[in-house]
Amino acid sequence: MTEKELDKLVWLVGNGHNTYKELHQNFPYLSIQDFRFMSLSCIGGLEKYIGLEADKGRFQFLESLHYQFSDDDIFYLTEDSQNRFDKLLKEHQSELREKIILIFSLVSAIASIIALFKP
């Protein structure tokens, strides 16, 4: 998974689009094994991305490599991914502020031009 894809995954889960169905729709090329690996990595303490909600039975999930995800299975961000989400959120807010400043600058420039031609 590329950094960009990982950011997208973290952004989706962090913003509440965290069901298996939603994630699978956004990442149709990821297989069930990919989702299993990400979830097992979280529980096993390897690279941590997302985890499977506890109420779906982690023990059943861990004991059965044949676990089939259902559309309503819910994933959560691990601590590492939550930190990544916080960083993405700050970047998003910064970009939004920059766009607002640009819009105000354009409005100001247009108002200045109009003022030049006003008698």
Side-chain angles (χ1 to χ4, degrees):
M1 182 172 270
T2 67
E3 291 292 313
K4 187 174 181 178
E5 292 169 324
L6 179 56
D7 285 346
K8 181 179 177 183
L9 173 72
V10 168
W11 186 256
L12 287 169
V13 174
N15 280 301
H17 303 282
N18 56 354
T19 63
Y20 174 73
K21 181 179 181 178
E22 291 172 307
L23 295 178
H24 189 64
Q25 286 173 344
N26 281 281
F27 298 95
Y29 51 88
L30 290 180
S31 67
I32 289 176
Q33 287 79 12
D34 293 326
F35 281 96
R36 281 189 190 127
F37 175 74
M38 285 188 287
S39 299
L40 284 170
S41 294
C42 161
I43 297 167
L46 301 172
E47 287 185 292
K48 298 176 182 174
Y49 302 126
I50 58 174
L52 189 63
E53 278 291 328
D55 65 354
K56 284 296 179 182
R58 286 188 189 163
F59 294 111
Q60 174 191 4
F61 177 69
L62 285 172
E63 290 174 2
S64 173
L65 294 179
H66 302 291
Y67 180 82
Q68 295 297 315
F69 290 101
S70 64
D71 285 346
D72 62 344
D73 278 347
I74 296 174
F75 291 88
Y76 66 90
L77 293 177
T78 63
E79 186 177 336
D80 291 345
S81 293
Q82 184 63 52
N83 292 338
R84 190 176 191 122
F85 176 74
D86 293 342
K87 181 182 171 198
L88 290 171
L89 186 59
K90 285 179 185 176
E91 289 173 4
H92 178 74
Q93 290 170 341
S94 178
E95 289 172 7
L96 187 59
R97 277 191 293 273
E98 289 173 9
K99 288 177 184 177
I100 290 170
I101 290 169
L102 178 63
I103 289 170
F104 280 121
S105 297
L106 289 171
V107 169
S108 177
I110 291 170
S112 297
I113 291 171
I114 291 172
L116 287 174
F117 292 107
K118 208 172 192 186

